[in-house]
């Protein structure tokens, strides 16, 4: 059973992809979309949500695109998922009942909180190292990630 929506998983994939490809120049949304077989307009709202959450930084101009706003070791998978969930349409559905409000929703919320805590332990750096070790995008030179 998958507990993350496709949108959340795509957000994590986009951040990891940008972390791997943003040097020496930012990653264009068009290139990112091509690597994930998506139309660029589909990704744009997601990328903007990640910019608002200070996970990504948008770079304007003809050679613009997206890059990480912070070091990849300082961004967690949980933070990306939270930003994506906070930006998603909060459309409620179906009738509410006492069973939903008093029993099911509190337990589901508690389980969700524990799941997000587990995702906080996974950094973008760890995901990047796994992607590089598995040569997900083919052989590539390794870039250091540091700040002076």
């Amino acid at each position: 059973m998958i507990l993350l929506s496709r949108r959340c998983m795509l957000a994590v994939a986009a951040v990891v992809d940008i972390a791997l490809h943003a040097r020496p120049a930012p990653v264009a949304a068009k290139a990112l979309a091509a690597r994930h077989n998506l139309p660029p307009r589909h990704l744009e709202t997601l990328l903007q949500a990640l910019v608002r959450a200070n996970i990504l930084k948008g770079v304007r101009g003809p050679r613009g695109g997206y890059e990480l706003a912070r070091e990849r070791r300082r961004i967690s998978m949980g933070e990306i998922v939270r930003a994506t969930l906070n930006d998603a349409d909060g459309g409620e559905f179906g009738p509410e009942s006492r069973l939903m409000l008093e029993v099911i929703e509190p337990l589901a919320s508690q389980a969700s909180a524990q799941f997000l805590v587990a995702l906080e332990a996974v950094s973008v750096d760890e995901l990047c190292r796994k992607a590089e070790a598995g040569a997900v995008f083919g052989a590539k030179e390794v870039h250091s990630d540091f700040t002076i």
Side-chain angles (χ1 to χ4, degrees):
M1 171 171 64
I2 296 177
L3 298 176
L4 291 177
S5 68
R6 180 156 169 74
R7 181 174 166 82
C8 287
M9 289 191 291
L10 181 58
V12 172
V15 172
V16 171
D17 186 300
I18 290 167
L20 291 170
H21 292 101
R23 293 186 196 236
V27 175
K30 187 182 271 187
L32 185 63
R35 279 194 292 274
H36 295 279
N37 298 318
L38 294 168
R41 69 183 177 281
H42 182 76
L43 266 182
E44 200 61 43
T45 58
L46 182 61
L47 296 171
Q48 286 303 313
L50 295 169
V51 168
R52 284 190 298 276
N54 195 35
I55 294 169
L56 296 180
K57 181 170 59 172
V59 178
R60 294 180 184 255
R63 295 191 181 169
Y66 295 91
E67 57 190 20
L68 296 181
R70 293 175 271 135
E71 296 171 329
R72 65 190 202 181
R73 65 187 169 92
R74 298 190 185 271
I75 301 170
S76 73
M77 190 173 173
E79 183 180 2
I80 298 165
V81 170
R82 285 180 207 278
T84 307
L85 291 173
N86 289 340
D87 191 64
D89 292 336
E92 296 293 324
F93 58 92
E96 292 187 0
S97 66
R98 284 189 63 204
L99 175 63
M100 286 290 290
L101 292 172
E102 297 174 17
V103 178
I104 296 170
E105 285 181 4
L107 289 173
S109 292
Q110 183 181 21
S112 294
Q114 290 173 351
F115 180 61
L116 287 171
V117 166
L119 292 180
E120 291 293 335
V122 181
S123 71
V124 169
D125 185 53
E126 182 180 341
L127 294 169
C128 287
R129 283 187 272 126
K130 288 183 183 226
E132 290 168 341
V136 172
F137 291 109
K140 185 180 177 218
E141 62 185 76
V142 177
H143 296 288
S144 299
D145 184 33
F146 62 91
T147 301
I148 296 176

